[in-house]
Amino acid sequence: MKVGYLGPSSSFTHNVAVKGFPTAELVPYETISAVIRSFEDGDVDYAVVPVENSIEGSVHETTDYLFHQANLRAVAEIVQPIKQQLMASRPHEKIEKIFSHPQAIAQGKKYITDHYPQAQIEVTASTAFAARFVAEHGDLPYAAIAPQAAAEEYGLSIIAQDIQEIDENYTRFWVLGETGQEFALPLTAKKMSLALTLPDNMPGALYKALSVFSWRGIDLTKIESRPLKTVLGEYFFMLDVDNSNAELVRFALDELQAIGIGYKILGDYQVYQI
Amino acid sequence: MKVGYLGPSSSFTHNVAVKGFPTAELVPYETISAVIRSFEDGDVDYAVVPVENSIEGSVHETTDYLFHQANLRAVAEIVQPIKQQLMASRPHEKIEKIFSHPQAIAQGKKYITDHYPQAQIEVTASTAFAARFVAEHGDLPYAAIAPQAAAEEYGLSIIAQDIQEIDENYTRFWVLGETGQEFALPLTAKKMSLALTLPDNMPGALYKALSVFSWRGIDLTKIESRPLKTVLGEYFFMLDVDNSNAELVRFALDELQAIGIGYKILGDYQVYQI
C-alpha cells in the first residue's frame, strides 16, 4: 500500500503517516496540492494532509482544494500534538544564532527570550531546513527549533525539550481515501465536515442552516466562513458536526437540501489521537 | 503623529499605512505582536496590522492577540488588493531560479509553470528577503516574486506584472487607535467585529447568539470559531456584523448580555478600499 504525505520526512505529517500506516510505503510530496493530486491521480492509496492547527487555524490550501477542485473525502482524522525542540550538533557553551520557521520561532519565543536572550534569531523557510543548516555547520554555535524527528534525521542533540509556549498546540490531519480506515490509535469522536453554499436570495440562510442541526441537538465543533473567490464578500461555510448519531445527521442533510441550501461533504470520519 | 506598522518598508502593510497616513511618521516593527504592543505602550498613535487575507484566511496573530491579551479596538479597516510581480535586476535571457515566500509562490505558481517551466523555485522567509537577495546577486539569472514596492526598494525591474493566479486576492488591515479615523479613501461599509464566549451549559448557544442578529436583519459578513487555548475543543467565535444601523446593533449586544453570552468588541469601524 502507498501513502502520500506532505514532506519532508522529518515533518509532523510524516509522523502521522508513520503512526497511521506503519507498514505502508510512504511517499513525500512538496506541497499539499501535490499530495492531494497524487491521490486523485491514483498514484497512492491514501493521502495525509494537515487541515487545522489549534494556534494557526485552518490550513486553507487543504480545505479550499477539497471544496473547489476535488471530489474526494477525508475518511479518517488523526490529531497530533505539536511539540518543538531546541537542537544543536553538540552542547555549545554559548548559542549565537537560533534558526527556525516563523511559526516555530513564535511558539518557542518565550523560552528563547528567557534562556538565550543574547542569541540572534534567523528565519528559515521550514523547520527541516533550519535543522539541516545547523547540522551542516556543526562547528558553529548554532541551534534550531524543530520537531524531534528532525533531530533524528540530521543527527542533532536536543538541548531543550518541548519549548513551545502554549501546551494546547495540536494539528488535525486528514486521511483522504476511498474507504474508511481503522487505526490502532485511541478513537475520540466521529465527525462530518461540510461546506455549505447559501443562496443569495435567502435572508438569514446561515441561521436557517444552523437551525437544521441545532433543533436536532447535533453539536457543531467548528464553523468558518471562507471567501468563494468569485465576488468580494461572497462566502461558503465550513461546518464540523458531531456524527455519533449518523441517522440524525442524514436527516439534517436531507432537510438542508429541501430548503435549498447546497452542501458538499468534505469528510466523514472517525477521529484518532496520537 | 506616529504610526506603527508591520515592516519591512516594502510590505503591503507599509503601503496601507502610507495610503492611510500620508503625512505621519511611519515606524516599522518586525512582528504583529510588536506592532500592537507599540500602540499599547503609547509609542505610536495608531497601529496598522493585517487581519484577514481572502486566500489565506484570518491572521490569527492579530485576532488572538486582540482577544486574549489586549484591551483595544480597530477604529478603521483598509482593504488592500494583493498583486504579485515577477522582478529581476535586468531582463535575463533565461531565468534559472525564482525566489519568494511560500504564499507568493503559491499565488504565482500557474504563471511560473506556464512561462518559466525550467526555473528552479527557492523558498525564502519573506518576499522582501527574496527581492533583496536577487538584487544582491544582480549578475546571476535570478528573479523574485514580490510586491511592486519591493522592486522600487531594491532597484529591480518588473519582468511580469500581476502574476497572481486568483484576481480576488485582497487583505483586510485594521487600524488600532483611540478614536475613529477618517481617510481620504473610498468608504465601502460600516462594521463591528465581536468575539463571543459561549457558556458551556447553554445547548445551542451559538445558534441563540446568531438569532440575536438574524431576527433584527443584521447581516453577518464573517464567522469563525477559534480554539480558546485552554481546553481542547473549547472555542470562542469571531463575528463581523454590518453596523450601518448602529442602534440595532446596540440592542443586539444588550440582548446577548441579557441571555448570558459574553462578548468583546474587537473593532467598530468604517471600511475603506485602496
Side-chain angles (χ1 to χ4, degrees):
Chain A
M1 190 201 291
K2 279 175 131 179
V3 176
Y5 71 96
L6 179 64
S9 66
S10 60
S11 66
F12 285 114
T13 318
H14 180 253
N15 188 52
V16 169
V18 168
K19 292 279 160 52
F21 301 92
T23 62
E25 180 190 342
L26 303 182
V27 188
Y29 292 87
E30 277 194 13
T31 65
I32 288 172
S33 301
V35 181
I36 302 178
R37 239 178 347 248
S38 75
F39 173 69
E40 279 185 300
D41 294 348
D43 299 337
V44 296
D45 302 296
Y46 289 95
V48 182
V49 287
V51 64
E52 187 184 20
N53 174 264
S54 57
I55 315 289
E56 303 296 326
S58 290
V59 180
H60 294 121
E61 190 175 347
T62 299
T63 54
D64 287 3
Y65 193 106
L66 292 179
F67 175 69
H68 287 288
Q69 291 178 54
N71 211 351
L72 37 88
R73 286 182 188 187
V75 296
E77 177 172 301
I78 299 177
V79 178
Q80 155 85 55
I82 301 298
K83 295 185 188 303
Q84 300 292 357
Q85 319 299 331
L86 188 67
M87 53 192 71
S89 54
R90 54 189 166 78
H92 298 286
E93 249 180 52
K94 194 178 164 208
I95 298 289
E96 277 179 18
K97 288 190 184 181
I98 296 176
F99 297 80
S100 198
H101 183 269
Q103 285 173 16
I105 291 171
Q107 289 162 9
K109 191 96 186 180
K110 191 173 177 324
Y111 184 91
I112 297 301
T113 314
D114 289 353
H115 295 81
Y116 298 93
Q118 83 298 341
Q120 196 180 323
I121 307 292
E122 299 268 342
V123 170
T124 57
S126 70
T127 54
F129 182 92
R132 198 179 64 199
F133 187 85
V134 168
E136 284 169 359
H137 299 79
D139 45 339
L140 294 174
Y142 291 171
I145 304 172
Q148 169 90 37
E152 291 154 22
E153 174 96 8
Y154 300 107
L156 297 174
S157 309
I158 290 175
I159 56 176
Q161 209 166 2
D162 296 353
I163 64 165
Q164 73 283 349
E165 187 168 353
I166 294 164
D167 276 338
E168 204 49 63
N169 189 351
Y170 57 88
T171 299
R172 300 167 59 199
F173 290 87
W174 277 358
V175 177
L176 309 176
E178 289 291 336
T179 51
Q181 174 72 8
E182 306 258 320
F183 297 110
L185 294 167
L187 179 66
T188 59
K190 288 177 95 166
K191 295 203 295 188
M192 187 180 273
S193 292
L194 300 166
L196 307 186
T197 39
L198 308 178
D200 318 334
N201 54 355
M202 189 193 285
L206 175 63
Y207 181 67
K208 284 181 185 153
L210 294 186
S211 66
V212 161
F213 299 98
S214 178
W215 77 259
R216 289 185 170 85
I218 300 169
D219 272 350
L220 209 66
T221 58
K222 177 185 167 159
I223 180 167
E224 184 175 345
S225 52
R226 286 289 299 149
L228 265 176
K229 299 183 183 176
T230 45
V231 183
L232 183 64
E234 299 224 334
Y235 293 85
F236 71 95
F237 293 85
M238 292 192 299
L239 302 186
D240 288 359
V241 300
D242 174 33
N243 195 21
S244 52
N245 187 333
E247 196 179 6
L248 262 189
V249 173
R250 203 166 48 243
F251 282 132
L253 295 182
D254 287 347
E255 191 181 331
L256 274 184
Q257 201 160 31
I259 63 176
I261 293 174
Y263 67 87
K264 182 173 181 179
I265 298 176
L266 303 183
D268 181 358
Y269 49 85
Q270 296 189 310
V271 180
Y272 298 87
Q273 183 84 43
I274 287 182
Chain B
M1 190 201 293
K2 277 174 134 181
V3 177
Y5 71 96
L6 178 65
S9 68
S10 61
S11 67
F12 285 113
T13 318
H14 179 253
N15 187 51
V16 169
V18 168
K19 292 280 159 55
F21 300 93
T23 60
E25 179 189 344
L26 304 182
V27 187
Y29 292 88
E30 276 195 15
T31 65
I32 288 172
S33 302
V35 180
I36 301 178
R37 243 182 341 252
S38 74
F39 173 70
E40 280 185 300
D41 293 348
D43 300 336
V44 296
D45 302 294
Y46 289 95
V48 182
V49 287
V51 64
E52 186 185 21
N53 174 264
S54 56
I55 314 289
E56 303 297 327
S58 290
V59 180
H60 294 119
E61 190 174 348
T62 299
T63 55
D64 287 3
Y65 193 108
L66 293 179
F67 175 70
H68 287 288
Q69 293 178 54
N71 212 351
L72 37 89
R73 285 183 188 185
V75 295
E77 175 172 302
I78 300 178
V79 178
Q80 155 87 53
I82 301 298
K83 295 186 189 299
Q84 300 291 357
Q85 320 298 331
L86 187 67
M87 52 190 71
S89 54
R90 55 188 166 78
H92 296 288
E93 249 179 51
K94 193 178 164 207
I95 299 290
E96 277 178 18
K97 287 189 184 181
I98 296 177
F99 297 81
S100 197
H101 184 269
Q103 284 172 16
I105 290 172
Q107 289 161 9
K109 190 95 185 179
K110 193 175 176 318
Y111 184 90
I112 298 301
T113 313
D114 289 352
H115 294 81
Y116 299 93
Q118 82 300 341
Q120 197 181 323
I121 308 293
E122 298 268 343
V123 169
T124 57
S126 70
T127 54
F129 182 92
R132 197 179 66 199
F133 187 86
V134 167
E136 284 169 1
H137 298 79
D139 44 341
L140 293 174
Y142 290 172
I145 304 173
Q148 170 90 38
E152 290 154 21
E153 175 95 8
Y154 300 107
L156 297 174
S157 309
I158 289 174
I159 56 176
Q161 210 167 0
D162 296 353
I163 65 164
Q164 74 282 350
E165 187 169 353
I166 295 163
D167 276 337
E168 205 48 64
N169 188 351
Y170 56 89
T171 298
R172 300 167 58 198
F173 290 86
W174 277 358
V175 177
L176 309 176
E178 290 292 336
T179 52
Q181 173 73 7
E182 307 257 319
F183 297 110
L185 293 167
L187 179 66
T188 59
K190 289 178 96 164
K191 294 202 297 186
M192 185 179 276
S193 292
L194 300 167
L196 307 187
T197 39
L198 308 179
D200 318 334
N201 55 356
M202 188 193 285
L206 176 62
Y207 181 66
K208 284 181 186 152
L210 294 186
S211 68
V212 161
F213 298 97
S214 178
W215 77 258
R216 288 184 170 84
I218 299 169
D219 272 349
L220 209 68
T221 58
K222 178 183 164 158
I223 180 167
E224 185 174 343
S225 52
R226 285 289 300 149
L228 265 176
K229 298 184 185 175
T230 46
V231 183
L232 182 63
E234 297 223 335
Y235 293 85
F236 71 95
F237 292 85
M238 292 192 299
L239 302 186
D240 289 359
V241 300
D242 175 34
N243 195 20
S244 53
N245 186 333
E247 196 179 5
L248 262 190
V249 172
R250 202 164 52 242
F251 282 133
L253 295 182
D254 288 348
E255 190 180 332
L256 274 185
Q257 201 159 33
I259 62 175
I261 293 173
Y263 67 87
K264 180 172 181 180
I265 298 176
L266 303 183
D268 181 357
Y269 48 86
Q270 296 190 309
V271 181
Y272 298 86
Q273 182 84 41
I274 287 183

